[in-house]
C-alpha cells in the first residue's frame, strides 16, 4: 500500500519537473524581471528623500584626482582579471602567451559585466580568441568553466574571510548583522565549498553533476586567491575613492558590501546587476545617499561602460582589418565568407553599444537640460525646434533599442538604420540642449559601426528591395503637406497636452494631432518590419545543368540522387562543376535532401556553402536523410543530429528466392505467377507509348488510397519525369496491372524504384513479384545492391535517459499505425532480409528541428 502511495507522488513530481524544464526560459525571464523590479523599488525607497539637484551637485564635485584614481584602480582590477585565464590555461595544460589571455579576458569580462550571464556572454568572447590560438571547443569550455568558477569562488571566499576576521562591519540600512552570525557565515561557506571539493574530487579533477573540472595545484590555488584579493580590492577601491571625504576606516565596510553586492547581482541574473548592485551598496553604506548615488553613477561609467566602449573599439578595429584582409585575399568574383568567423564579436559588442546609446538618449530625455546651455541654445535656435528635437531624440532612442537586436543578428538593414539614427541622434542632442558629450559618444559609435560594415552581411528587404527615391519623395511630400496644412489650419489654437485627449464634435485640432501621431507610428512600424524581414535570396539553379548532372552522377552510389530530376528543387553546384546538392526553401527552413551528389571531396564545400546562404537569409538549415559519411561534416558545422530511421538494402550478389528465410516472398510471387503475371522492364526510349496506360493506373491508385501526389522527397506521376527512366511493369494477358519506375546509378552500385502503383485487378502478391523479378534483373545486369527505401522512425530505441526525439519517435513507431504504417512498412521490407543502414536529420539546436520538420511536411505534401 505504501508503494502505491509513493508512485502517484513521484509521477506528480515528474510532471512538475517536466513543466519547469519546458518553461525554463520563461521562468528565468520572469524571475529576472521580478528581481529587477525589486531592485529598482529598493533604490526608489532608499533615495526617496534625495533630490536630483543634490546628486548633480555631488557628481559635479568629483574632481580629476578622484576620477584618475578610480580609473587607475579599474585598470589594476582588469589586469588582475587576466590572470584567471592565464592560470586556467595552465591548469588544462594549454598555456598561452599572457597577451592572448589578456585579450580574451578583457573582452569577455567587459561583456559579461554589462550583460550578465558570464558563462554564456563571456564564453563566446573567449571562444573567439582561443579558437584562433589553436584551442578546440572542449579546451575553451574548460577554460571558461575554470575561470568563471574560480572567479566567483574567489570573490565568495574573500568576502567570507572578511566577515570572519572582521565581524560587525556589514550594516544593512538600520540593522547590523550580529558579529557571531556574521563570523559563523564567514566560516561556514568556505568550509562547505572545501567539503564539496574533497567529497567529489576524482584525481586532479572535480566530478560534479556530470562535469569534470580540472583542479589547480597548491601553487595555482594560492595564486588564484591572491588574484581574487587584488581584483576585489582594486575594484572596490575604485568605487571608494569616488566617495568624497570618506575616512579610511570606512573602506573595510565598503569592501565587504561590494563583495556581497556583486554576489547578489550574480544570483539575480539581472544584466550588469543594474539596480540590484546599487541597492545593496546604498543599503550597506552609512554615508549620505546622494553622495553614494553620485559615486555609483561615476563608477558605472568608469568600471562598466568605459571598458565596454574600449573593447568595442578595439574589436571593431581588429575585425574591420580582418574583414578587409580577408576580402583582399579571396578569389576575384567571390563574396565575403561570413562563416569564416565562428562567433563574431563585433555585432554583439556594437549591438550592446547601440542599445546603450538608445538608453542614453531616453535617460537624457527624461532629465532636465543644463540651464546655462539652454540659454545659449535659445540665442541660436527657436524654442519650437528645440522642443521638437527633444521629442525626436527620445524617439530615436526607442528605435535604437529595436535596431540593436538587428545588429546582433548581423542584418544589413539594421546597419544602415543604426548609422542613420546615431547621426540623427547626435544632431538632435545638440539641437535639444547643446549636449556635445552625448553627440560625441553617438558619433564615435557610428564610426565604429561604419568600420565593421562587412560584419552585417544578412540581406533584408530594406536593402534588397529598396524603395525608389521618387516614391520616398512622394510619400514624404504627401505627409509633409498634410502636416503643414494642419498646422496652418490650427495655427491660432492654443496647444497643450489636454488637446490630445479631447474627444468632441468640434475637436478638429485634437483629431489632427492624433492622426499625425498615428501616421508617424505607422511609418516607424513599416520601417522596422522592412528592417527585420529577410530578403529573398536569388536562386542559382532551378534546373540541374546537363554537364553537372552527368559529371556528378558518375560518382553517385545512391539512387536517391535521381530525385534531382523531379523538377521541384533548387541546386547548389560546386566550384569544380562536378558535384551538387539539392534543396528547397520553405518558410525559413532551408531543407537539403540526402547527401551531396558527386566526388566526396566536394561535399564539405557544398554543405558549408548552403550553410552560409541559409545564414545570410536568416534561415535555418535542415539536412534530411543524410548518411553516415555526412555526420562528421554536420558535427563540424555545429548541427545537432537525430536518427530519422533506417534504409533497407538487399545484396544482389547471390540473391535467390530458394532459401528458407525467403519462403513468404517466394510463396507470394508464385501466387502472382499462377494468376498469369509476367515481368518486363520497358526501356526509357519506349516509355511515351505506355504513358497513357500508366496514367490510368496512377489515377485509380491515388483515388483508391485517398492520396494526393507528393513532392520533394519522392517523385510524382509526371510524363516528362517518368520518360527519363526505365520502368518495371507487371502484365496479365498483355495488360499492365502494376508498374514502378526504375532508378539505377551509372556505376551499377545501386538499383531502386520510386513510384510504385498498381491497378484494381492486380493479382495477390503482385508487388512482391515485381520486386523479386526486378532484383533478379538487376543482378543479371551487374548491379550490386537494391534499395527498398526508408523505414521512417525504425531502429530508434527509447530508454529512460534517451532524448525527447527518440522517445517520441519510438512511441510513434509503435502506436502510429493509424497515421502512417511505420511498423508495417518495416515488417514488409524485412521479408527480403535486407541490411539496415541508419539515416539522420541534422539541424541547429532548440526548436529548429521541430519547425524544420513542420516546413518539410508542408513541402512534401505540397
Amino acid at each position: 500500500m505504501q508503494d502505491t502511495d509513493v508512485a502517484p507522488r513521484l509521477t506528480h513530481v515528474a510532471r512538475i519537473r517536466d513543466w519547469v524544464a519546458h518553461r525554463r526560459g520563461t521562468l528565468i525571464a520572469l524571475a529576472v524581471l521580478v528581481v529587477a523590479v525589486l531592485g529598482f523599488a529598493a533604490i526608489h525607497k532608499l533615495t526617496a528623500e534625495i533630490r536630483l539637484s543634490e546628486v548633480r551637485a555631488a557628481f559635479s564635485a568629483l574632481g580629476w584626482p578622484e576620477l584618475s584614481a578610480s580609473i587607475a584602480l579599474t585598470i589594476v582590477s582588469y589586469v588582475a582579471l587576466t590572470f584567471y585565464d592565464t592560470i586556467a590555461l595552465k591548469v588544462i595544460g594549454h598555456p598561452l602567451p599572457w597577451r592572448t589571455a589578456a585579450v580574451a579576458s578583457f573582452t569577455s569580462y567587459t561583456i559579461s559585466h554589462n550583460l550578465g550571464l558570464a558563462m554564456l556572454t563571456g564564453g563566446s568572447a573567449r571562444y573567439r580568441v582561443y579558437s584562433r590560438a589553436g584551442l578546440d571547443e572542449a579546451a575553451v569550455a574548460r577554460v571558461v568553466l575554470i575561470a568563471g568558477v574560480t572567479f566567483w569562488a574567489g570573490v565568495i571566499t574573500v568576502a567570507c574571510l572578511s566577515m570572519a576576521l572582521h565581524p560587525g562591519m556589514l550594516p544593512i540600512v538600520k540593522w547590523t548583522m550580529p558579529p557571531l552570525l556574521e563570523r559563523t557565515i564567514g566560516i561556514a561557506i568556505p568550509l562547505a565549498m572545501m567539503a564539496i571539493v574533497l567529497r567529489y574530487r576524482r584525481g586532479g579533477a572535480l566530478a560534479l553533476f556530470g562535469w569534470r573540472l580540472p583542479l589547480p595545484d597548491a601553487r595555482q590555488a594560492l595564486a588564484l586567491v591572491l588574484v581574487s584579493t587584488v581584483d576585489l580590492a582594486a575594484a572596490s577601491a575604485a568605487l571608494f575613492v569616488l566617495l568624497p571625504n570618506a575616512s579610511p576606516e570606512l573602506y573595510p565596510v565598503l569592501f565587504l558590501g561590494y563583495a556581497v553586492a556583486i554576489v547578489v547581482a550574480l544570483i539575480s541574473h539581472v544584466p550588469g546587476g543594474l539596480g540590484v548592485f546599487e541597492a545593496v551598496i546604498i543599503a550597506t553604506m552609512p554615508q549620505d545617499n546622494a553622495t553614494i548615488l553620485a559615486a555609483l553613477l561615476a563608477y558605472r561609467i568608469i568600471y562598466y561602460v568605459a571598458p565596454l566602449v574600449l573593447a568595442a573599439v578595439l574589436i571593431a578595429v581588429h575585425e574591420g582589418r580582418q574583414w578587409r584582409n580577408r576580402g583582399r585575399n579571396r578569389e576575384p568574383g567571390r563574396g565575403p565568407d561570413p562563416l569564416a568567423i565562428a562567433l563574431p564579436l563585433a555585432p554583439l559588442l556594437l549591438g550592446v553599444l547601440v542599445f546603450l546609446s538608445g538608453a542614453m538618449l531616453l535617460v537624457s530625455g527624461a532629465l532636465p537640460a543644463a540651464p546655462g546651455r539652454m540659454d545659449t541654445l535659445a540665442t541660436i535656435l527657436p524654442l519650437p525646434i528645440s522642443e521638437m528635437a527633444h521629442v525626436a531624440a527620445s524617439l530615436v532612442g526607442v528605435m535604437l533599442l529595436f535596431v540593436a537586436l538587428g545588429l546582433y543578428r548581423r542584418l544589413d538593414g539594421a546597419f544602415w538604420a543604426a548609422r542613420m539614427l546615431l547621426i540623427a541622434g547626435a544632431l538632435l542632442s545638440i539641437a535639444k540642449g547643446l549636449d556635445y558629450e552625448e553627440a560625441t559618444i553617438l558619433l564615435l559609435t557610428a564610426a565604429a559601426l561604419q568600420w565593421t560594415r562587412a560584419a552585417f552581411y544578412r540581406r533584408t528587404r530594406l536593402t534588397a528591395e529598396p524603395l525608389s527615391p521618387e516614391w520616398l519623395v512622394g510619400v514624404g511630400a504627401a505627409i509633409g503637406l498634410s502636416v503643414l496644412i494642419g498646422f496652418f489650419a490650427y495655427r491660432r489654437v492654443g496647444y497643450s497636452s489636454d488637446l490630445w485627449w479631447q474627444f468632441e464634435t468640434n475637436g478638429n485640432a485634437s483629431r489632427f494631432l492624433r492622426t499625425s501621431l498615428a501616421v508617424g507610428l505607422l511609418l516607424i512600424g513599416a520601417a522596422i518590419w522592412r528592417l527585420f524581414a529577410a530578403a529573398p535570396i536569388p536562386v542559382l539553379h532551378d534546373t540541374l545543368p546537363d554537364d553537372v548532372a552527368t559529371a556528378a552522377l558518375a560518382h553517385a552510389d545512391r539512387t536517391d540522387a535521381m530525385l534531382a530530376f523531379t523538377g521541384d528543387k533548387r541546386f547548389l553546384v560546386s566550384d569544380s562543376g562536378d558535384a551538387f546538392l539539392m534543396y528547397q526553401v520553405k518558410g525559413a527552413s532551408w531543407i537539403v535532401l540526402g547527401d551531396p551528389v558527386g566526388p566526396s571531396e566536394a561535399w564539405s564545400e557544398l554543405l558549408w556553402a548552403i550553410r552560409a546562404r541559409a545564414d545570410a537569409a536568416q534561415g535555418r538549415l535542415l539536412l534530411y536523410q543524410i548518411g553516415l559519411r555526412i555526420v562528421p561534416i554536420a558535427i563540424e558545422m555545429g548541427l545537432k543530429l537525430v536518427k530519422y530511421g533506417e534504409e533497407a538494402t538487399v545484396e544482389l550478389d547471390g540473391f535467390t528466392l530458394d532459401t528458407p528465410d525467403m519462403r513468404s516472398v517466394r510463396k507470394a510471387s508464385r501466387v502472382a505467377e499462377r494468376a498469369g503475371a509476367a515481368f518486363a522492364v520497358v526501356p526509357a526510349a519506349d516509355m511515351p507509348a505506355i504513358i497513357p496506360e500508366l496514367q490510368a493506373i496512377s489515377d485509380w491508385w491515388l483515388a483508391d488510397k485517398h492520396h494526393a501526389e507528393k513532392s520533394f522527397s519522392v517523385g510524382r506521376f509526371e510524363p516528362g519525369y517518368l520518360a527519363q527512366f526505365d520502368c518495371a511493369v507487371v502484365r496479365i494477358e498483355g495488360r499492365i496491372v502494376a508498374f514502378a519506375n526504375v532508378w539505377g546509378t551509372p556505376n551499377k552500385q545501386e538499383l531502386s524504384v520510386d513510384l510504385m502503383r498498381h491497378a484494381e485487378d492486380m493479382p495477390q502478391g503482385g508487388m512482391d513479384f515485381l520486386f523479386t523479378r526486378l532484383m533478379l534483373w538487376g543482378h543479371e545486369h551487374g548491379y550490386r545492391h537494391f534499395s527498398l527505401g526508408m523505414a521512417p522512425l525504425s531502429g530508434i530505441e527509447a530508454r529512460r535517459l534517451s532524448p525527447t526525439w527518440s522517445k517520441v519517435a519510438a512511441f510513434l513507431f509503435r502506436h502510429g499505425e493509424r497515421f502512417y504504417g511505420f511498423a508495417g512498412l518495416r515488417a514488409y521490407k524485412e521479408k527480403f532480409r535486407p541490411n539496415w543502414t541508419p539515416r539522420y536529420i541534422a539541424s541547429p539546436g532548440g526548436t529548429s528541428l521541430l519547425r524544420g520538420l513542420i516546413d518539410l511536411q508542408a513541402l512534401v505534401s505540397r
Side-chain angles (χ1 to χ4, degrees):
M1 183 64 185
Q2 195 173 16
D3 292 341
T4 59
D5 291 339
V6 171
R9 290 200 297 271
L10 292 177
T11 302
H12 186 64
V13 171
R15 288 176 179 172
I16 295 175
R17 181 190 61 199
D18 292 341
W19 184 86
V20 171
H22 283 91
R23 293 162 178 81
R24 182 180 178 184
T26 304
L27 293 175
I28 290 176
L30 288 175
V32 171
L33 179 61
V34 169
V35 173
V37 170
L38 291 176
F40 287 124
I43 288 182
H44 178 72
K45 183 174 180 61
L46 291 168
T47 59
E49 299 179 0
I50 300 177
R51 294 184 179 182
L52 178 63
S53 57
E54 297 174 347
V55 177
R56 178 176 287 175
F59 193 86
S60 301
L62 293 173
W64 278 111
E66 293 86 359
L67 296 175
S68 300
S70 181
I71 293 172
L73 289 166
T74 297
I75 294 173
V76 172
S77 174
Y78 275 93
V79 170
L81 286 172
T82 64
F83 289 98
Y84 283 109
D85 282 52
T86 303
I87 297 172
L89 289 166
K90 291 181 179 179
V91 171
I92 69 169
H94 290 280
L96 292 175
W98 177 83
R99 179 180 177 182
T100 303
V103 172
S105 171
F106 179 66
T107 53
S108 64
Y109 281 116
T110 53
I111 295 173
S112 60
H113 280 166
N114 285 274
L115 299 184
L117 300 174
M119 292 293 183
L120 179 62
T121 56
S124 65
R126 285 189 172 97
Y127 179 83
R128 170 70 168 163
V129 176
Y130 290 141
S131 61
R132 285 186 171 179
L135 270 65
D136 58 16
E137 293 86 346
V140 176
R142 288 196 295 271
V143 171
V144 171
L145 192 59
I146 293 172
V149 170
T150 53
F151 172 80
W152 289 110
V155 169
I156 294 171
T157 301
V158 171
C160 290
L161 290 177
S162 299
M163 295 171 65
L165 297 176
H166 302 283
M169 295 190 309
L170 192 61
I172 301 176
V173 190
K174 297 181 179 180
W175 176 75
T176 301
M177 185 181 298
L180 179 60
L181 175 61
E182 191 173 341
R183 192 186 300 273
T184 302
I185 294 175
I187 295 174
I189 292 179
L191 288 177
M193 294 170 57
M194 188 178 301
I196 292 174
V197 172
L198 295 176
R199 169 65 178 81
Y200 294 100
R201 183 185 182 101
R202 299 291 183 272
L206 178 67
L208 187 63
F209 302 122
W211 289 86
R212 283 189 59 83
L213 178 67
L215 293 173
D217 57 29
R219 288 184 58 190
Q220 293 167 340
L222 183 61
L224 285 169
V225 172
L226 178 61
V227 168
S228 181
T229 303
V230 172
D231 165 46
L232 193 60
S236 57
L239 173 60
F240 182 76
V241 297
L242 295 173
L243 297 172
N245 303 320
S247 61
E249 292 80 10
L250 193 61
Y251 175 70
V253 179
L254 177 67
F255 180 83
L256 187 54
Y258 183 90
V260 173
I262 60 175
V263 171
V264 172
L266 166 70
I267 297 173
S268 70
H269 287 293
V270 175
L274 187 63
V276 179
F277 175 83
E278 284 80 2
V280 175
I281 293 295
I282 294 174
T284 55
M285 292 297 293
Q287 275 201 331
D288 175 61
N289 285 354
T291 302
I292 299 174
L293 188 58
L296 286 169
L297 291 175
Y299 183 74
R300 274 282 175 187
I301 296 173
I302 293 173
Y303 195 84
Y304 286 83
V305 179
L308 178 66
V309 173
L310 178 60
V313 172
L314 293 175
I315 292 297
V317 172
H318 177 70
E319 296 293 346
R321 187 182 298 116
Q322 289 290 326
W323 271 305
R324 282 159 178 77
N325 292 340
R326 187 177 297 110
R328 286 193 294 266
N329 295 333
R330 289 182 66 81
E331 299 176 9
R334 295 188 65 183
D337 182 10
L339 289 179
I341 300 169
L343 289 171
L345 292 180
L348 173 61
L349 282 172
L350 288 170
V352 173
L353 280 183
V354 169
F355 187 91
L356 293 177
S357 298
M360 178 180 67
L361 286 173
L362 289 175
V363 172
S364 175
L367 294 174
R373 295 187 185 182
M374 289 302 297
D375 294 339
T376 304
L377 184 64
T379 63
I380 304 173
L381 292 176
L383 181 60
I385 294 180
S386 298
E387 293 297 325
M388 292 175 63
H390 193 96
V391 175
S394 296
L395 290 176
V396 167
V398 172
M399 287 187 282
L400 284 173
L401 299 183
F402 286 101
V403 169
L405 176 61
L407 292 176
Y408 175 71
R409 292 167 55 185
R410 300 178 290 280
L411 305 182
D412 63 348
F415 163 79
W416 290 101
R419 189 177 63 172
M420 179 187 69
L421 290 171
L422 288 168
I423 295 174
L427 296 176
L428 292 170
S429 295
I430 298 297
K432 72 183 177 68
L434 292 181
D435 198 339
Y436 56 85
E437 301 95 342
E438 189 175 284
T440 302
I441 293 173
L442 294 172
L443 291 176
L444 288 175
T445 304
L449 191 64
Q450 176 64 30
W451 182 251
T452 57
R453 174 180 175 180
F456 308 97
Y457 55 84
R458 289 178 171 172
R459 301 293 302 278
T460 60
R461 292 188 182 276
L462 188 68
T463 55
E465 300 175 354
L467 303 175
S468 65
E470 296 83 1
W471 191 88
L472 288 174
V473 170
V475 171
I479 296 175
L481 181 62
S482 68
V483 174
L484 182 63
I485 291 174
F487 279 113
F488 174 77
Y490 307 112
R491 66 184 183 275
R492 300 186 183 277
V493 175
Y495 287 94
S496 68
S497 60
D498 294 337
L499 276 176
W500 292 93
W501 315 112
Q502 288 181 3
F503 298 92
E504 53 189 33
T505 304
N506 297 321
N508 297 313
S510 299
R511 294 193 195 98
F512 160 66
L513 290 175
R514 291 192 293 267
T515 302
S516 299
L517 176 64
V519 170
L521 293 176
L522 183 62
L523 286 174
I524 292 173
I528 290 176
W529 177 81
R530 292 184 65 86
L531 168 66
F532 285 90
I537 300 297
V539 179
L540 297 181
H541 298 284
D542 259 334
T543 58
L544 187 62
D546 292 339
D547 57 336
V548 176
T550 301
L553 289 173
H555 297 269
D557 292 332
R558 292 177 56 181
T559 50
D560 57 7
M562 305 305 161
L563 285 168
F565 300 104
T566 56
D568 55 8
K569 296 173 184 63
R570 304 179 184 183
F571 300 93
L572 189 63
V573 178
S574 66
D575 291 341
S576 57
D578 60 352
F580 68 89
L581 59 75
M582 41 191 159
Y583 73 100
Q584 190 52 273
V585 179
K586 185 67 176 179
S589 298
W590 288 57
I591 303 170
V592 176
L593 180 60
D595 298 347
V597 182
S600 58
E601 294 80 9
W603 290 10
S604 180
E605 170 203 335
L606 287 169
L607 290 168
W608 276 107
I610 197 69
R611 178 93 161 88
R613 290 179 65 80
D615 178 72
Q618 305 179 51
R620 52 181 172 268
L621 184 65
L622 182 77
L623 307 183
Y624 179 57
Q625 292 190 18
I626 60 173
L628 287 170
R629 290 196 290 173
I630 296 297
V631 168
I633 304 176
I635 293 174
E636 182 184 347
M637 293 166 63
L639 302 179
K640 181 180 179 181
L641 287 160
V642 296
K643 187 176 180 180
Y644 173 68
E646 294 178 317
E647 181 183 10
T649 305
V650 177
E651 295 285 343
L652 295 183
D653 187 17
F655 175 76
T656 178
L657 296 178
D658 299 327
T659 58
D661 54 0
M662 296 293 288
R663 182 169 176 248
S664 62
V665 177
R666 183 172 65 248
K667 182 179 178 180
S669 298
R670 287 175 178 173
V671 169
E673 285 179 340
R674 286 195 292 268
F679 172 82
V681 175
V682 180
D686 298 334
M687 282 296 292
I690 65 171
I691 286 292
E693 192 174 1
L694 301 185
Q695 179 76 66
I697 295 173
S698 177
D699 292 344
W700 177 88
W701 185 87
L702 290 171
D704 181 66
K705 303 296 183 183
H706 304 290
H707 286 176
E709 291 283 11
K710 305 294 186 182
S711 67
F712 190 64
S713 63
V714 293
R716 63 183 183 274
F717 194 98
E718 208 286 319
Y721 166 65
L722 291 177
Q724 299 182 67
F725 306 101
D726 297 344
C727 186
V729 299
V730 176
R731 289 189 174 99
I732 294 181
E733 297 178 354
R735 183 172 49 85
I736 298 177
V737 295
F739 73 91
N741 63 314
V742 179
W743 286 346
T745 58
N747 60 6
K748 299 296 183 77
Q749 186 70 21
E750 187 173 274
L751 185 71
S752 185
V753 297
D754 180 25
L755 293 180
M756 300 170 288
R757 295 178 182 178
H758 60 81
E760 183 177 8
D761 56 347
M762 182 190 71
Q764 185 178 0
M767 295 310 294
D768 287 357
F769 174 75
L770 185 150
F771 276 126
T772 56
R773 291 302 179 270
L774 184 57
M775 291 180 193
L776 293 170
W777 179 88
H779 176 58
E780 293 173 2
H781 287 75
Y783 287 94
R784 297 185 58 190
H785 308 101
F786 185 88
S787 173
L788 290 165
M790 285 290 301
L793 308 186
S794 71
I796 302 177
E797 296 186 12
R799 301 179 183 273
R800 184 174 64 87
L801 299 178
S802 296
T804 302
W805 165 259
S806 298
K807 295 177 181 178
V808 172
F811 177 83
L812 289 175
F813 184 81
R814 292 193 305 269
H815 306 289
E817 289 296 311
R818 291 177 53 193
F819 309 103
Y820 187 88
F822 297 107
L825 183 61
R826 165 87 185 207
Y828 177 79
K829 296 181 179 183
E830 185 64 43
K831 295 192 305 181
F832 296 91
R833 299 298 181 261
N835 298 318
W836 293 97
T837 305
R839 293 285 177 255
Y840 300 92
I841 294 176
S843 72
T847 61
S848 295
L849 174 61
L850 178 60
R851 296 162 68 187
L853 289 176
I854 292 173
D855 287 337
L856 172 63
Q857 175 60 30
L859 184 63
V860 172
S861 62
R862 304 177 68 189

